Amino acid sequence: MVGLEAMVTYPGFGFLLNPVFLRAFSASLHLVLLLLLFVSWVRKRIKMDALENCKRTRFLYYKQTFACCQGLSLLNFFLCFLNYFYWYGNGWSDEKLVTLLDLVLRTLAWGAVCVYLHTQFHGSVEPKFSFLLRVWWGFYFSISCYCLVIDIVMKHQSLQVQFLVPDIVYIITGLFLCYSGFLGKNQGEESILREPLLNGSTSISRVESDKSKGEAAVTPFSKAGFFSLLTFSWMGPLIAEGNKKTLDLEDVPQLDTSNSIVGVFPEFRNKLQCDSGGSSGVTTFKLVKALIFASWAEILLTALFVLLNTLASYVGPYLIDTFVQYLNGRREIKYEGYLLIMAFFVAKLVECISVRHWFFRLQQVGIRIRAVLITMIYNKGLTLSCQSKQGHSTGEIINIMSVDAQRIGDFSRYMHDPWMVIVQVTLALLILYKNLGLASVAAFFATVIIMLTNVPLGKWQEKFQDKLMESKDKRMKATAEILRNMRILKLQGWEMKFLSKIVDLRKNETDWLKKYLYTSAMTTFVFWGAPTFVSVVTFGTCMLIGIPLESGKIVSSLATFRILQEPIHGLPDLISMIAQTKVSLDRIASFLCLDDLQSDVIERLPEGSSDTAIQISAGNFSWDLSSPNPTLKQINLRVCRGMRVAVCGTVGSGKSSLLSCMLGEVPKISGILKLCGTKAYVAQSPWIQSGKIEENILFGKEMDRERYDRVLDACSLKKDLEVLSFGDQTVIGERGINLSGGQKQRIQIARALYQNADIYLFDDPFSAVDAHTGTHLFKECLLGLLGTKTVIYVTHQVEFLPVADLILVMKDGRITQAGKYNEILNSGTDFMELVDAHKKALLALNSVDSGNIGGTSELVEKEENKGGQNCTAEEINGPKGQLVQEEEREKGKVGLSVYWKYIRTAYGGALVPFILLSQILFQLLQIGSNYWMAWASPVSADVKPAVRGSTIIIVYVALAIGSSFCVLSRAMLLVTAGYKTATILFNKMHLCVFRAPMSFFDATPSGRILNRASTDQSTIDISIAKRVGAFAFSLIQLLGIIAVMSQIAWQVFVVFIPVIATCIWYQQYYIPSGRELVRLAGVCIAPVIQHFSETIAGSMTIRGFDQESRFRDTNMKLIDGYMRPNFNIAGAMQWLCFRLDMLSSVTFAFSLVFLISVPEGVIDPGIAGLAVIYGFSLNMLQAWVIWNLCNMENKIIAVERLLQYTSIPSEPPLVIEENRPACCWPSHGQVDIQDLQVRYAPHMPLVLRGLTCTFPGGMKTGIVGRTGSGKSTLIQTLFRIVEPLAGQIMIDGTNISSIGLHDLRSRLSIIPQDPTMFEGTVRSNLDPLEEYSDEQIWEALDKCQLGDEVRKKEGKLDTAVIENGENWSMGQRQLVCLGRVLLKKSKVLVLDEATASVDTATDNLIQQTLRQHFVDSTVITIAHRITSVLDSDMVLLLDHGLIEEYDTPTRLLQNKSTSFAKLVAEYTVRSNYSLENAGDI
């Protein structure tokens, strides 16, 4: 030490100990480092391409090194400003200036090192940190040691803390940097989560990479350390990835078990079942209890965060009076100013950290709650009884699942608010009591009055919310039904009528929406005015009872009111959310209480324990247990293993109900039903899942290629698969939209065959396929693959009956006859009627084909061996592609055009300036009133006030009233604009959807449309206007605070401007990831809804195969896929907000340091105190602006998604005024088809390939052909459901493409392949356009053999029809479709396999009715029953989209080599063989 001191006196080396030299030398070195880093960066940019494909490395201690450099930059930044403010008031010197310059350069240099490290980390191939950094860290450590020694030597008597602490920090960090630089090595490749996909990778490597990223990578949250959890750094890799590329679902890591549905749901379900003793005992309270139990740990932890946050937020108001007095010169202890700043700053840090973790953990809870509720609703939907389903349509249940579950999940954010408000109000009153004494009692009563206004407002909001959800349910129910049946609506020309029905339902919904929104606006007005009201009452009481108003106490009270206004401002939202959540909880609880299927209907026997497969003894079953007339009466039946049992009977006799009862679907009144073995079920209406054909056939089983190929052969599917571009990998559209009816049915049969079950239940599966295919299926499936199985099949085709071991004849829900074919043929009239009807049809056939039966066996044999025309996928030219594509989502930034369209939608945006003006005036008046109180009040009791006390209060009240009216106008205008915008967007989207071509519905699963119509529309109705308004209002508030602070301490802008710039950079860095995660969440909910609606539709089939558990697992996987982006949305948002809060806290701290640094008397202490209370909210408001901006962009995606569907290409015009056909068109009904070519989509193969023919007017033309030959496509082209690619169709000389769609479709009639009934009444189903009288409707019902059936019903024409017409049999639905065309009496009638679902006797009656009433009409018939087309004038035979034969039936039959002759021969041989050999079978 002595030696060093001696050097000072030595002239050659004395300068080395001069502090000015030391600081200048340090500054120079840091400047050199800055230049070297810049040069290195330039070189790196030049070599970037060469490094692009290099292996990326990860250095040991990289994170710690980066954090160390970042910390040094921030420390020097802090020291720079601390010294600046300290020396600003105490004068400058050379040493101080050089020290300040050194600190500035240190801040910049260490910041540059951070940037350099970040860029090197992402592109380096070096084994260690760069040479430059390692040399610099060595220099830095040496200089730090040298500086410490010099400071101790030169200032050992007066060494200040601000010199000692930094020197020690520099040495410790220098030592660590040297260690990591010289000893740290790389850790090899970066983790898979951070590693981006390499450009140009093959599709296989992409898939593997996706798999490892999406499935193997679990969220870093599960293994994050304390610091990472505290700062949300675990989100960093995903946000960085989002900045490099557009995020896909594969990039989002999997959730750990504690956050995934697989881990959470069992706990919730067990708790709910334990409390309620089964689903029927679920109440709202028990549901809430189970939900809380599922996340109790997070709820308790967040309660602690809420308490910490609330306590920390009141530190400022509590100490502000002391701070004002300090500025006024009253100093009680040494360093009091710095201690106050430290207290403010620490409180602000605690507040920031606690609020971030409070919000994140509650969002986490909300995501879990939504997931478990969706799962619970899904599981319930899978077990609902038929009667429960009748009361709740698919649309309603989807609404409960999508809207109600989300609302309850969203409430989690408000979970702690009720008790938090009480704590906040209590703390506020205590602080007011400390400052104002008894006047705080007035504040208490004013607060209580405001709280009491909650009661009526809350009740109104709950009532309006309840009604709003009821009306939304009705609309969604109707929308779901319409989307399911859009093809029928377009064929009939009814879509605009049904659109008006949706618009009417929406009008009823918007009536309640309007009431709800305006009530919310009034609530907003009341509560935004509340803090002002409380402060007026409090200060007025002070004046009345003589409590002196000093500026310190005024500022403290204003600060308290400002914090108190947060819970009071939040009360409208809280009340609204409680009301909405209560309604949603009640709805879900009541849904979970619905009756399930009876579990005791079937008594299951162990496999192989009995020779009896099915036994029913004295069974009485009823779909409606309250009905006095059971559906099935006194059923006694015993089916042994290996038996073939046929069920036949007329339409509505109970055939399908008998099969349903064997599945356990029909509630049992009495009797015994035993079943032994596994079962498989084929429904009458094909139920096909969206997905690949292969997946539909395997249906959860492992692939056994040999068995799979046998099943394809047996179901005649191989040729169909060859024609499809992707074979069995072809993705089927929703409800099998891109398959013909026959193909759907055969896939359904293949699914059943592949299961290799013991018992097979077939509900008339051969009606939807042509005669040849029907025979093949019967032979290969029932008699071949299932030869040893127990098979029970319903059929209307008498020719399939003789091979049965047992025939059951049904009538009025009873088995009237049972036995073998010949046994029951003469034992009763019911079976005789069916056989006689079939024989009559055969006689008609034989009369046409006189003498052509001989030799037909040979023809049939040849036909079966002949391959037929094989149009494989390779022969079809043109681009290939799947019909159903992945859901589109916008990528990149939400365009300004979306905001612009949203703002301008209502009144051209005319209200927006007035809304902004109201907020600006409100802000000015608020600031003005606070400024007035701080300025007019004396600093202490011994200072004379500037104005009288009464004047202070009068001016304050006037300003308060003005600000309240501004809030009222703002709230009302915002609600008006938001409501009008929501209504316009709804109408636009629905018009575009209803006018979209059928190809749009073929390629778009209804779940996507329903998601927009429910979730997105709900967001636009209630949230988006609030979010856009909140962003604008918070920005105006921020500008107001900046203006106030700039008046008092403009120097703060030196810190404020870079902090704001950093905040904007962070926001720009976050938004690409945040935006794409929100879009992914929007896309991921659609598969959940679609899977759910498909499950509800096919629940009977799913249960028939005992596949409930697999479907539940699939649902859980889909929900996990939806939870993943939502979990990361929450994490990313808090990652951003945490950083913004930290930056804002730094700004606040510097502003305080400046205020205590300025000389006394320069700033009015009261005004300074006002600046500080605004500074309290500065960090929150700064983060709030950015958060609102991000939240607004996230929410506006709902508008973006709706706007996507307002730009769908429309169908041609409904009416072309200048080219309307005559009122009597078509008068003759001749149809000319010229070179017609049709495909369903540009990327799909041609279905019709150049058809040319004429259907003569007034004649009957039958169209036949194998399944998938193009029959239904031809009909769709006739109705312009599909527009031709080339060629044209003329009706009576008019090109149908030249007239409006409604003019065309309203003049044609069709009985479609899928008989459809809509929810409503019999009358509304026959005459939806309300064009006919009751007499005409009764006449049509009598003609179609339904009159007597309807007259039996209590409601007659007003008899209820439930969703999909489920309470009517398939045959009855077909007859209703016949009734529609009998009412319409068109000149051109199309029958698209119209009698497939009825028995032969009813078919004969329908044919007779049509012959009688459409004698002069052109009737075009597609039929699988040959007898249905034999009495046609002409027969058209199609094969793979080409005309193979077209002539009269007689001529075609005369030539035995025609394909038509072979079809007839085959049908005749099959039928005659069956009848003649019945006795031998």
Side-chain angles (χ1 to χ4, degrees):
M1 186 72 73
V2 175
L4 283 168
E5 286 179 353
M7 282 179 69
V8 180
T9 58
Y10 191 75
F13 296 98
F15 72 93
L16 292 175
L17 299 179
N18 188 332
V20 175
F21 166 76
L22 189 62
R23 302 299 173 196
F25 180 63
S26 170
S28 305
L29 283 176
H30 282 88
L31 182 62
V32 170
L33 174 67
L34 265 175
L35 293 171
L36 289 172
L37 288 174
F38 177 73
V39 171
S40 176
W41 178 79
V42 170
R43 284 181 63 222
K44 184 175 174 62
R45 295 300 296 173
I46 293 167
K47 293 183 177 181
M48 186 63 80
D49 293 338
L51 289 170
E52 198 166 296
N53 292 320
C54 293
K55 188 172 91 169
R56 306 192 174 178
T57 57
R58 179 179 178 179
F59 298 103
L60 196 64
Y61 305 125
Y62 165 79
K63 283 185 178 178
Q64 292 88 334
T65 305
F66 185 81
C68 183
C69 296
Q70 206 172 27
L72 281 170
S73 182
L74 289 172
L75 174 67
N76 286 300
F77 181 66
F78 178 77
L79 287 171
C80 177
F81 277 92
L82 188 70
N83 286 324
Y84 169 76
F85 287 126
Y86 186 73
W87 292 328
Y88 181 80
N90 298 315
W92 295 92
S93 66
D94 291 343
E95 183 183 344
K96 290 176 182 176
L97 285 170
V98 173
T99 303
L100 201 64
L101 176 65
D102 179 33
L103 289 170
V104 169
L105 286 169
R106 280 172 181 261
T107 302
L108 294 172
W110 286 109
V113 169
C114 289
V115 174
Y116 181 77
L117 271 174
H118 181 71
T119 53
Q120 184 196 42
F121 171 61
H122 283 290
S124 176
V125 290
E126 297 289 330
K128 288 189 176 184
F129 287 111
S130 69
F131 177 74
L132 169 65
L133 284 181
R134 284 181 287 148
V135 169
W136 164 248
W137 288 336
F139 264 114
Y140 170 72
F141 178 63
S142 305
I143 294 166
S144 299
C145 293
Y146 180 51
C147 286
L148 177 64
V149 172
I150 297 301
D151 281 337
I152 290 171
V153 170
M154 300 301 297
K155 303 179 182 179
H156 62 273
Q157 291 176 336
S158 60
L159 184 60
Q160 296 179 359
V161 172
Q162 66 257 43
F163 291 111
L164 182 62
V165 171
D167 284 342
I168 292 170
V169 171
Y170 293 155
I171 286 177
I172 292 168
T173 52
L175 188 62
F176 169 73
L177 291 171
C178 287
Y179 174 78
S180 64
F182 292 100
L183 300 176
K185 296 180 181 178
N186 70 55
Q187 279 184 299
E189 288 186 42
E190 194 179 0
S191 70
I192 191 78
L193 179 65
R194 292 190 193 169
E195 186 178 5
L197 292 171
L198 298 175
N199 294 328
S201 60
T202 65
S203 59
I204 293 169
S205 65
R206 172 68 189 256
V207 169
E208 286 171 357
S209 177
D210 286 354
K211 206 176 237 186
S212 49
K213 289 179 78 165
E215 293 175 18
V218 176
T219 175
F221 174 77
S222 59
K223 293 180 182 175
F226 174 76
F227 182 76
S228 182
L229 286 173
L230 186 74
T231 60
F232 297 93
S233 300
W234 54 269
M235 273 303 303
L238 187 62
I239 293 171
E241 185 81 354
N243 262 277
K244 287 183 276 182
K245 62 181 281 267
T246 302
L247 287 179
D248 290 312
L249 190 60
E250 295 81 21
D251 301 308
V252 182
Q254 295 285 347
L255 299 179
D256 59 321
T257 310
S258 63
N259 286 299
S260 72
I261 189 66
V262 178
V264 177
F265 181 68
E267 198 177 348
F268 166 77
R269 182 192 56 211
N270 295 340
K271 178 65 178 170
L272 188 62
Q273 286 175 350
C274 176
D275 286 349
S276 53
S279 60
S280 57
V282 174
T283 62
T284 304
F285 175 72
K286 288 171 183 173
L287 183 62
V288 171
K289 193 174 164 187
L291 288 170
I292 291 171
F293 182 78
S295 298
W296 65 269
E298 280 76 13
I299 291 170
L300 283 179
L301 184 62
T302 48
L304 176 64
F305 287 137
V306 170
L307 191 61
L308 279 173
N309 178 264
T310 306
L311 292 171
S313 65
Y314 278 100
V315 169
Y318 184 78
L319 293 177
I320 189 69
D321 186 24
T322 311
F323 189 74
V324 170
Q325 297 308 324
Y326 172 83
L327 294 178
N328 196 36
R330 193 169 70 194
R331 318 276 164 97
E332 294 180 357
I333 56 172
K334 194 179 181 184
Y335 301 122
E336 184 182 3
Y338 288 104
L339 289 172
L340 283 169
I341 290 171
M342 187 62 71
F344 285 139
F345 185 63
V346 169
K348 192 51 72 180
L349 286 180
V350 170
E351 187 185 342
C352 294
I353 292 168
S354 59
V355 78
R356 291 300 128 228
H357 287 276
W358 158 24
F359 282 2
F360 172 68
R361 296 284 178 171
L362 281 187
Q363 281 174 295
Q364 201 179 339
V365 169
I367 293 164
R368 284 188 201 171
I369 285 173
R370 186 177 184 192
V372 295
L373 286 175
I374 290 175
T375 308
M376 200 71 193
I377 293 163
Y378 178 89
N379 292 354
K380 183 71 180 180
L382 205 49
T383 60
L384 273 184
S385 68
C386 182
Q387 200 160 4
S388 298
K389 266 194 191 175
Q390 287 181 17
H392 289 75
S393 70
T394 307
E396 275 182 282
I397 301 171
I398 285 171
N399 219 20
I400 289 171
M401 190 191 78
S402 60
V403 178
D404 290 302
Q406 180 173 5
R407 187 157 288 136
I408 294 166
D410 289 345
F411 177 73
S412 62
R413 197 159 56 89
Y414 300 83
M415 190 179 289
H416 297 298
D417 286 15
W419 67 265
M420 183 182 76
V421 169
I422 296 167
V423 173
Q424 286 177 317
V425 170
T426 305
L427 287 172
L429 291 172
L430 288 172
I431 292 170
L432 287 173
Y433 183 76
K434 169 186 169 280
N435 290 323
L436 304 175
L438 289 174
S440 61
V441 176
F444 172 72
F445 281 113
T447 307
V448 168
I449 289 167
I450 289 164
M451 297 292 184
L452 289 174
T453 57
N454 295 345
V455 178
L457 287 167
K459 283 184 177 175
W460 286 346
Q461 284 199 310
E462 184 175 355
K463 177 190 168 187
F464 296 150
Q465 177 66 23
D466 204 0
K467 297 290 186 185
L468 177 62
M469 292 309 297
E470 273 180 33
S471 52
K472 190 187 285 288
D473 276 350
K474 288 178 185 170
R475 173 174 65 82
M476 287 308 299
K477 186 177 180 180
T479 305
E481 184 177 47
I482 286 166
L483 291 175
R484 256 196 322 274
N485 300 304
M486 187 57 81
R487 186 178 299 277
I488 305 298
L489 297 182
K490 288 192 175 290
L491 284 167
Q492 302 282 6
W494 292 344
E495 70 267 39
M496 299 317 287
K497 173 70 179 177
F498 278 76
L499 173 60
S500 68
K501 182 181 171 184
I502 295 292
V503 170
D504 289 343
L505 288 168
R506 171 67 179 176
K507 191 172 183 305
N508 181 46
E509 182 187 343
T510 52
D511 287 343
W512 292 112
L513 177 66
K514 193 187 288 185
K515 288 175 183 173
Y516 175 79
L517 290 174
Y518 280 108
T519 307
S520 298
M522 285 305 298
T523 312
T524 305
F525 161 64
V526 169
F527 289 112
W528 272 80
T532 312
F533 171 71
V534 174
S535 57
V536 165
V537 169
T538 308
F539 294 145
T541 306
C542 287
M543 295 299 298
L544 289 172
I545 62 177
I547 295 172
L549 289 175
E550 298 168 11
S551 58
K553 291 177 180 178
I554 290 275
V555 167
S556 179
S557 301
L558 288 174
T560 306
F561 294 141
R562 279 184 72 81
I563 293 180
L564 191 58
Q565 81 181 4
E566 289 305 318
I568 294 179
H569 281 181
L571 275 174
D573 273 349
L574 177 60
I575 294 162
S576 168
M577 279 305 295
I578 289 173
Q580 291 177 37
T581 307
K582 171 77 166 55
V583 170
S584 294
L585 281 165
D586 290 343
R587 282 156 54 84
I588 290 175
S590 63
F591 175 74
L592 294 177
C593 285
L594 292 175
D595 290 335
D596 285 340
L597 285 169
Q598 288 180 5
S599 55
D600 59 347
V601 173
I602 299 177
E603 184 186 329
R604 291 183 179 272
L605 304 175
E607 283 187 48
S609 63
S610 171
D611 285 337
T612 304
I614 299 172
Q615 184 174 351
I616 307 175
S617 305
N620 288 287
F621 303 85
S622 180
W623 289 111
D624 183 3
L625 289 172
S626 61
S627 170
N629 187 26
T631 311
L632 297 171
K633 312 171 193 75
Q634 287 301 311
I635 304 296
N636 288 285
L637 174 66
R638 182 169 176 270
V639 179
C640 295
R641 271 199 291 174
M643 276 180 73
R644 277 193 294 272
V645 180
V647 184
C648 58
T650 54
V651 170
S653 59
K655 303 181 296 296
S656 296
S657 295
L658 182 64
L659 287 197
S660 298
C661 119
M662 293 174 186
L663 290 167
E665 297 287 328
V666 189
K668 183 170 70 175
I669 300 170
S670 62
I672 296 168
L673 169 55
K674 294 180 180 177
L675 189 140
C676 179
T678 57
K679 58 189 189 301
Y681 170 65
V682 177
Q684 190 171 13
S685 296
W687 177 72
I688 303 291
Q689 265 189 290
S690 302
K692 295 174 184 170
I693 291 173
E694 182 190 276
E695 291 167 359
N696 267 279
I697 295 172
L698 297 181
F699 207 55
K701 289 270 187 184
E702 290 295 318
M703 168 62 84
D704 176 346
R705 181 55 66 181
E706 187 184 341
R707 179 170 182 76
Y708 183 74
D709 287 337
R710 280 208 313 274
V711 167
L712 290 183
D713 280 331
C715 296
S716 297
L717 279 169
K718 285 211 164 172
K719 284 182 186 175
D720 299 271
L721 296 181
E722 284 170 5
V723 172
L724 295 169
S725 303
F726 294 88
D728 63 359
Q729 299 304 303
T730 300
V731 175
I732 302 172
E734 193 174 21
R735 302 182 311 280
I737 205 86
N738 47 337
L739 298 173
S740 73
Q743 286 170 330
K744 284 189 272 189
Q745 194 65 276
R746 283 181 288 129
I747 286 172
Q748 210 184 200
I749 295 168
R751 174 171 64 206
L753 294 183
Y754 191 80
Q755 296 300 304
N756 196 23
D758 301 319
I759 302 167
Y760 283 83
L761 304 171
F762 289 96
D763 193 355
D764 197 17
F766 311 116
S767 60
V769 295
D770 58 74
H772 169 75
T773 310
T775 307
H776 177 85
L777 287 172
F778 192 77
K779 250 190 212 173
E780 297 297 323
C781 299
L782 261 72
L783 305 182
L785 282 179
L786 304 181
T788 60
K789 304 284 185 181
T790 307
V791 182
I792 300 166
Y793 60 99
V794 170
T795 185
H796 289 127
Q797 286 146 297
V798 175
E799 59 270 24
F800 293 147
L801 296 176
V803 295
D805 300 312
L806 178 66
I807 298 171
L808 305 175
V809 183
M810 302 282 302
K811 188 172 185 181
D812 297 330
R814 295 177 188 273
I815 298 176
T816 56
Q817 291 174 268
K820 287 205 169 191
Y821 187 88
N822 284 335
E823 289 171 10
I824 63 170
L825 190 57
N826 301 312
S827 65
T829 57
D830 298 329
F831 187 60
M832 183 66 81
E833 282 173 14
L834 293 170
V835 176
D836 285 348
H838 180 64
K839 283 181 175 172
K840 276 182 195 171
L842 280 179
L843 284 172
L845 175 64
N846 290 336
S847 66
V848 176
D849 184 22
S850 53
N852 280 329
I853 301 299
T856 49
S857 300
E858 187 185 339
L859 288 173
V860 173
E861 196 178 328
K862 283 181 187 170
E863 170 60 24
E864 285 176 353
N865 293 330
K866 182 182 163 191
Q869 186 179 352
N870 218 351
C871 177
T872 60
E874 286 75 17
E875 292 168 346
I876 299 167
N877 296 320
K880 311 285 193 299
Q882 298 281 18
L883 175 69
V884 180
Q885 303 293 327
E886 247 182 75
E887 181 169 5
E888 71 291 341
R889 66 179 171 105
E890 302 290 341
K891 294 196 176 181
K893 192 174 181 181
V894 176
L896 285 174
S897 61
V898 175
Y899 294 97
W900 186 241
K901 282 176 187 172
Y902 179 77
I903 289 168
R904 285 181 52 83
T905 298
Y907 310 108
L911 296 182
V912 175
F914 295 103
I915 294 168
L916 293 175
L917 181 63
S918 298
Q919 176 63 19
I920 290 165
L921 286 172
F922 167 74
Q923 195 63 33
L924 288 173
L925 291 168
Q926 280 276 296
I927 291 169
S929 61
N930 292 341
Y931 201 92
W932 166 258
M933 290 299 287
W935 173 81
S937 305
V939 176
S940 58
D942 53 352
V943 177
K944 187 184 176 184
V947 291
R948 285 190 307 156
S950 57
T951 310
I952 293 175
I953 295 299
I954 289 166
V955 172
Y956 186 69
V957 169
L959 292 170
I961 291 169
S963 68
S964 297
F965 277 110
C966 288
V967 168
L968 178 62
S969 65
R970 183 199 80 184
M972 288 298 182
L973 290 171
L974 185 65
V975 162
T976 305
Y979 165 78
K980 185 72 175 174
T981 303
T983 306
I984 291 169
L985 286 174
F986 176 90
N987 291 337
K988 270 188 182 176
M989 186 193 88
H990 278 73
L991 179 63
C992 286
V993 167
F994 274 67
R995 289 285 295 113
M998 203 59 222
S999 57
F1000 168 76
F1001 299 96
D1002 291 347
T1004 308
S1006 61
R1008 295 180 192 173
I1009 305 170
L1010 290 172
N1011 195 23
R1012 284 166 172 82
S1014 62
T1015 311
D1016 291 329
Q1017 186 63 50
S1018 188
T1019 304
I1020 292 168
D1021 286 345
I1022 292 170
S1023 300
I1024 289 187
K1026 280 185 188 175
R1027 293 280 71 84
V1028 174
F1031 170 68
F1033 304 155
S1034 58
L1035 185 61
I1036 290 166
Q1037 278 183 289
L1038 180 64
L1039 293 172
I1041 288 175
I1042 292 168
V1044 169
M1045 293 187 74
S1046 66
Q1047 290 296 306
I1048 297 149
W1050 63 265
Q1051 290 87 346
V1052 174
F1053 277 89
V1054 177
V1055 181
F1056 190 74
I1057 289 168
V1059 166
I1060 280 286
T1062 311
C1063 286
I1064 291 168
W1065 180 84
Y1066 266 123
Q1067 189 264 344
Q1068 293 299 315
Y1069 184 72
Y1070 152 83
I1071 203 69
S1073 305
R1075 181 177 52 229
E1076 295 310 321
L1077 285 168
V1078 170
R1079 283 175 174 152
L1080 281 172
V1083 169
C1084 287
I1085 189 62
V1088 176
I1089 292 174
Q1090 187 187 335
H1091 179 69
F1092 185 76
S1093 59
E1094 280 187 348
T1095 302
I1096 296 292
S1099 56
M1100 196 164 163
T1101 301
I1102 294 164
R1103 290 191 292 264
F1105 284 88
D1106 296 320
Q1107 292 267 348
E1108 296 97 318
S1109 60
R1110 183 173 71 86
F1111 274 76
R1112 287 190 191 106
D1113 290 345
T1114 303
N1115 179 59
M1116 282 185 162
K1117 282 177 190 167
L1118 290 171
I1119 289 173
D1120 258 346
Y1122 172 62
M1123 287 173 76
R1124 277 159 58 197
N1126 276 288
F1127 178 85
N1128 286 283
I1129 286 167
M1133 180 62 79
Q1134 300 315 322
W1135 176 92
L1136 172 70
C1137 289
F1138 177 82
R1139 281 145 184 78
L1140 299 184
D1141 284 354
M1142 290 297 109
L1143 289 166
S1144 304
S1145 299
V1146 169
T1147 311
F1148 177 58
F1150 277 119
S1151 63
L1152 292 177
V1153 169
F1154 171 76
L1155 287 173
I1156 66 167
S1157 301
V1158 294
E1160 194 178 316
V1162 173
I1163 296 175
D1164 182 326
I1167 302 299
L1170 183 66
V1172 173
I1173 69 165
Y1174 277 114
F1176 288 148
S1177 58
L1178 176 66
N1179 74 312
M1180 291 303 288
L1181 198 54
Q1182 195 173 310
W1184 186 235
V1185 170
I1186 301 294
W1187 188 87
N1188 272 323
L1189 175 61
C1190 298
N1191 202 19
M1192 178 179 71
E1193 181 154 353
N1194 292 348
K1195 292 286 184 187
I1196 205 79
I1197 287 168
V1199 176
E1200 181 185 65
R1201 283 162 57 79
L1202 244 70
L1203 289 174
Q1204 280 177 344
Y1205 279 15
T1206 59
S1207 54
I1208 306 164
S1210 179
E1211 276 188 312
L1214 299 177
V1215 174
I1216 300 173
E1217 289 296 341
E1218 63 273 13
N1219 200 20
R1220 297 204 68 171
C1223 58
C1224 58
W1225 180 88
S1227 55
H1228 189 50
Q1230 178 165 312
V1231 180
D1232 292 304
I1233 300 170
Q1234 298 166 11
D1235 191 28
L1236 191 66
Q1237 294 180 34
V1238 176
R1239 64 159 52 111
Y1240 281 101
H1243 56 267
M1244 301 292 287
L1246 283 172
V1247 183
L1248 298 179
R1249 302 186 290 146
L1251 264 62
T1252 301
C1253 63
T1254 298
F1255 300 154
M1259 294 175 74
K1260 293 171 180 54
T1261 303
I1263 303 176
V1264 292
R1266 306 270 184 246
T1267 301
S1269 59
K1271 305 185 295 293
S1272 292
T1273 304
L1274 176 57
I1275 300 309
Q1276 289 187 64
T1277 313
L1278 180 64
F1279 282 80
R1280 288 178 66 194
I1281 296 295
V1282 184
E1283 292 291 333
L1285 184 69
Q1288 60 182 10
I1289 299 176
M1290 313 279 284
I1291 299 180
D1292 285 356
T1294 301
N1295 185 345
I1296 62 168
S1297 297
S1298 66
I1299 61 174
L1301 289 180
H1302 270 197
D1303 282 336
L1304 169 68
R1305 292 169 184 169
S1306 62
R1307 309 295 176 89
L1308 309 179
S1309 286
I1310 184 168
I1311 304 179
Q1313 188 172 355
D1314 298 317
T1316 302
M1317 289 178 78
F1318 299 92
E1319 188 171 10
T1321 62
V1322 173
R1323 180 190 281 106
S1324 67
N1325 267 280
L1326 283 162
D1327 181 26
L1329 303 182
E1330 299 168 6
E1331 295 174 334
Y1332 304 102
S1333 66
D1334 283 6
E1335 289 75 22
Q1336 289 171 302
I1337 294 171
W1338 278 117
E1339 186 185 339
L1341 281 170
D1342 287 330
K1343 287 176 184 173
C1344 67
Q1345 312 299 318
L1346 270 179
D1348 293 340
E1349 185 67 33
V1350 175
R1351 284 188 184 92
K1352 282 183 202 170
K1353 309 271 185 186
E1354 192 179 332
K1356 304 292 190 289
L1357 290 179
D1358 293 319
T1359 300
V1361 177
I1362 65 167
E1363 191 180 15
N1364 294 329
E1366 296 285 351
N1367 55 342
W1368 295 75
S1369 76
M1370 185 73 88
Q1372 287 169 329
R1373 282 181 250 167
Q1374 198 69 280
L1375 293 174
V1376 169
C1377 295
L1378 173 63
R1380 288 175 189 153
V1381 302
L1382 288 167
L1383 273 173
K1384 204 170 176 183
K1385 293 175 185 168
S1386 299
K1387 198 67 183 172
V1388 177
L1389 169 64
V1390 176
L1391 307 177
D1392 189 356
E1393 296 169 14
T1395 57
S1397 302
V1398 296
D1399 57 89
T1400 313
T1402 311
D1403 185 9
N1404 290 344
L1405 282 169
I1406 290 173
Q1407 298 300 336
Q1408 191 181 331
T1409 305
L1410 292 172
R1411 277 194 291 272
Q1412 186 180 340
H1413 297 285
F1414 290 90
V1415 64
D1416 295 324
S1417 298
T1418 305
V1419 180
I1420 302 166
T1421 306
I1422 295 176
H1424 291 145
R1425 285 186 185 149
I1426 296 298
T1427 51
S1428 300
V1429 294
L1430 274 176
D1431 67 342
S1432 301
D1433 301 303
M1434 300 290 286
V1435 170
L1436 172 70
L1437 194 144
L1438 292 177
D1439 186 34
H1440 293 99
L1442 294 167
I1443 295 175
E1444 190 171 333
E1445 294 161 8
Y1446 184 46
D1447 211 331
T1448 63
T1450 311
R1451 283 207 200 98
L1452 288 172
L1453 288 171
Q1454 283 170 356
N1455 181 356
K1456 295 184 181 65
S1457 62
T1458 62
S1459 296
F1460 182 67
K1462 291 171 186 174
L1463 275 175
V1464 173
E1466 180 187 340
Y1467 183 80
T1468 311
V1469 169
R1470 183 182 73 189
S1471 302
N1472 285 339
Y1473 180 81
S1474 299
L1475 294 173
E1476 288 164 12
N1477 295 284
D1480 303 325
I1481 292 169

